[in-house]
Amino acid sequence: MFEKYYKPVSLEEALSRLDDSRGRARIIAGGTDLVLQLQNREIVLDAVVDITAIEQLRYIREEGGMIKIGALTTHSDMAGSPLLKRSASLLSEAAGNVGSLQIRNVGTVGGNVINAQPAADTAVALMALDAMARVVSTAGERQVPLGELYRPEGGTALDPGREIVTEFSFYPPANGGGSGAFNRLARRKAVALPVFNTAVVIWTDQDQSYLTDARIIMGPVARIPFRAREAEKVLTGNPPGEHYFRLAAAQAAGEAKPRDSYLRGSAAYRKKLAQVMVLRALTKAWDGLEKRG
Amino acid sequence: MDKIKKRLSFILNHKPVTVEVEPDTLLLDLLRETLGLTGTKRGCGEGECGACTVIINNEAVNACLYPAWKVENCRVLTVEGLGTEENPHPLQEAFLEAGAVQCGFCTPGMLMSSYALLQKTANPAESEVKEAISGNLCRCTGYVKIIEAIRKAAQKMNDPSISKRKEV
């Protein structure tokens, strides 16, 4: 599969290993996706750079009002995190749905996002949270909004032979009067790719009389996790509750462009599904807000 | 370019081992082919079936997707390290007693996933047992007997007088 296995103990060393390999190396963390891609010869490499020894990239913490998650944080870490359960339960729930326990124990949030699958559960949730990714290379570092990590035609917009994502950060919705929810349908409860998933966040004014903003992300209905901007606009400025949630869900289904799939169901079925699933997610997010009062 | 082997040292089934391993060897192949520990099974080879489940530093992982070089300085436990025929682990006793084994191919993985669970949760609820083995497929018996066995093993482990096992 490859000839060299590097295991740097610092980010600097990892970046220079990438540079030295001139695009013929990739970062490996959990490897649960990459090992399969290498075995199937979807990717051919000279070397892999295992960054799991850089332990300072594995954390979930609150800092300056933001939640920060190191790229090496595993799905199990996120699913079990009291901080996430309290402040961003849509993300811990999304993480708890990925693969199996064995996969979640090993697979990382950085890998789930950078592998750029259109229905990557944590990416869908992070996008609804307006997360930023910290991207570093030997040229320096930058903060990239999650949605800009993807090329519109699919795949990552980063240079995987040169750049490393080290952190995701976001403001917990509750801090700004918001609430989120995650919703997923798969053929079985475990070890199953989603037929459809969605993450939503809604914000209201102080009296909870109208919605000030919304995020509706869906997968896999496009080549990348898809943000239903028109559906969000249906909500903004209007009162929360079933009437506008139904309108927004119908709009979101209209924007979705799923493909016919033997594994995931027909496009027509999944457009109907989108409507039901987005409505349920919005309702759940609103329940969370109402309870908070 | 030649693949340069690495001398890999780790703790395997409570004993230190050192082996020469190529950079792209997967843990499952290292265990089965190099070390002759064939208790760990290759099922799907792509992380779907859990037949290759082993424990690394207390966490259940799929050995079929796990690069061997990752285990340097780690503690690895396979079904061979769980118990022996003369001195089976309470989980192994319970699987036999409950009839939780038919063809046996999924059993090592089931045992390792449930071992990881019982290390963390001494008295798991049925839902916790189901979650712990949700990454392990059985195509023979169904899961009822397996779940029963795991809960029975938990009882044995909480009350050592029930188990025949001698601590070694």
Side-chain angles (χ1 to χ4, degrees):
Chain A
M1 290 190 290
F2 47 84
E3 284 156 350
K4 288 190 169 161
Y5 196 104
Y6 298 114
K7 205 167 180 184
V9 290
S10 74
L11 192 56
E12 293 69 30
E13 191 191 341
L15 290 168
S16 67
R17 287 292 187 198
L18 278 184
D19 279 7
D20 293 347
S21 305
R22 298 163 198 276
R24 299 282 298 168
R26 288 288 180 276
I27 294 295
I28 186 169
T32 51
D33 284 319
L34 185 66
V35 167
L36 283 176
Q37 290 162 353
L38 287 165
Q39 281 184 327
N40 298 337
R41 303 220 152 251
E42 291 161 36
I43 300 180
V44 178
L45 297 177
D46 291 342
V48 294
V49 182
D50 183 338
I51 56 172
T52 51
I54 311 173
E55 282 157 18
Q56 55 272 35
L57 292 182
R58 184 174 177 181
Y59 55 85
I60 304 173
R61 59 179 173 238
E62 206 163 7
E63 206 175 272
M66 293 189 100
I67 292 179
K68 300 189 169 182
I69 303 178
L72 288 181
T73 304
T74 66
H75 292 85
S76 290
D77 293 340
M78 289 187 285
S81 158
L83 174 60
L84 290 186
K85 283 185 190 170
R86 197 168 59 241
S87 307
S89 58
L90 68 161
L91 180 56
S92 51
E93 219 177 290
N97 272 297
V98 171
S100 62
L101 191 61
Q102 292 94 317
I103 300 283
R104 292 194 294 277
N105 284 342
V106 174
T108 64
V109 63
N112 197 226
V113 171
I114 286 308
N115 197 38
Q117 293 300 313
D121 293 286
T122 67
V124 168
L126 283 167
M127 214 191 265
L129 290 161
D130 275 342
M132 300 289 285
R134 180 168 167 259
V135 178
V136 299
S137 70
T138 48
E141 76 167 75
R142 60 201 174 105
Q143 291 282 343
V144 184
L146 208 90
E148 290 173 28
L149 289 178
Y150 300 92
R151 290 176 301 162
E153 68 273 25
T156 176
L158 300 186
D159 180 349
R162 211 173 56 86
E163 294 179 302
I164 302 179
V165 171
T166 59
E167 181 184 86
F168 300 97
S169 58
F170 57 85
Y171 290 100
N175 291 9
S179 169
F182 178 81
N183 200 1
R184 178 192 218 258
L185 187 92
R187 293 171 75 103
R188 327 184 276 272
K189 283 185 188 163
V191 209
L193 294 172
V195 167
F196 181 87
N197 61 7
T198 182
V200 305
V201 178
I202 54 172
W203 291 267
T204 67
D205 66 325
Q206 260 185 342
D207 305 333
Q208 299 189 344
S209 56
Y210 68 95
L211 295 153
T212 54
D213 205 353
R215 291 288 174 279
I216 300 173
I217 316 296
M218 305 181 287
V221 299
R223 290 177 189 277
I224 59 177
F226 180 78
R227 180 171 167 195
R229 289 175 188 267
E230 296 307 314
E232 293 171 4
K233 284 184 201 157
V234 170
L235 295 173
T236 306
N238 283 315
E242 191 179 340
H243 179 72
Y244 284 99
F245 291 166
R246 278 192 185 280
L247 290 178
Q251 178 64 44
E255 287 176 75
K257 290 186 179 60
R259 289 185 296 183
D260 285 317
S261 158
Y262 286 118
L263 281 176
R264 289 179 156 149
S266 68
Y269 165 67
R270 286 193 294 144
K271 272 177 101 76
K272 290 215 161 138
L273 193 60
Q275 194 167 343
V276 174
M277 299 285 280
V278 170
L279 175 61
R280 285 183 188 168
L282 288 170
T283 307
K284 189 171 159 193
W286 173 229
D287 284 350
L289 262 184
E290 268 189 317
K291 268 190 207 122
R292 221 181 288 148
Chain B
M1 215 173 353
D2 285 333
K3 290 179 185 176
I4 297 169
K5 286 189 179 181
K6 177 188 172 77
R7 281 173 68 85
L8 199 63
S9 296
F10 59 103
I11 307 290
L12 176 60
N13 297 333
H14 320 293
K15 290 184 193 119
V17 289
T18 300
V19 273
E20 300 249 318
V21 187
E22 288 192 343
D24 56 354
T25 299
L26 295 170
L27 179 59
L28 179 62
D29 298 313
L30 173 66
L31 292 171
R32 290 182 57 88
E33 310 300 330
T34 311
L35 297 167
L37 296 180
T38 53
T40 306
K41 303 302 180 197
R42 176 187 297 279
C44 65
E46 48 188 43
E48 301 268 337
C49 78
C52 66
T53 303
V54 299
I55 314 274
I56 299 176
N57 297 345
N58 305 323
E59 304 284 353
V61 311
N62 291 320
C64 74
L65 294 180
Y66 208 77
W69 283 24
K70 277 183 175 290
V71 301
E72 178 147 52
N73 299 325
C74 291
R75 282 172 290 120
V76 179
L77 186 72
T78 71
V79 71
E80 288 89 349
L82 204 58
T84 62
E85 216 164 316
E86 301 74 41
N87 191 24
H89 188 272
L91 271 164
Q92 293 167 315
E93 289 177 359
F95 268 62
L96 288 175
E97 289 162 13
V101 180
Q102 191 164 316
C103 89
F105 200 80
C106 75
T107 308
M110 288 287 181
L111 287 168
M112 300 323 283
S113 285
S114 39
Y115 178 82
L117 168 71
L118 296 184
Q119 290 299 104
K120 287 175 193 173
T121 312
N123 258 317
E126 185 171 325
S127 60
E128 291 173 297
V129 173
K130 283 182 177 174
E131 201 201 331
I133 59 166
S134 60
N136 295 78
L137 290 182
C138 167
R139 301 287 82 169
C140 304
T141 74
Y143 301 93
V144 173
K145 299 286 181 194
I146 294 172
I147 293 164
E148 194 185 309
I150 295 167
R151 300 194 72 188
K152 196 168 182 177
Q155 284 173 6
K156 285 173 183 265
M157 288 164 78
N158 293 330
D159 181 1
S161 66
I162 306 176
S163 177
K164 297 189 280 283
R165 181 177 168 84
K166 301 179 285 288
E167 276 313 317
V168 278

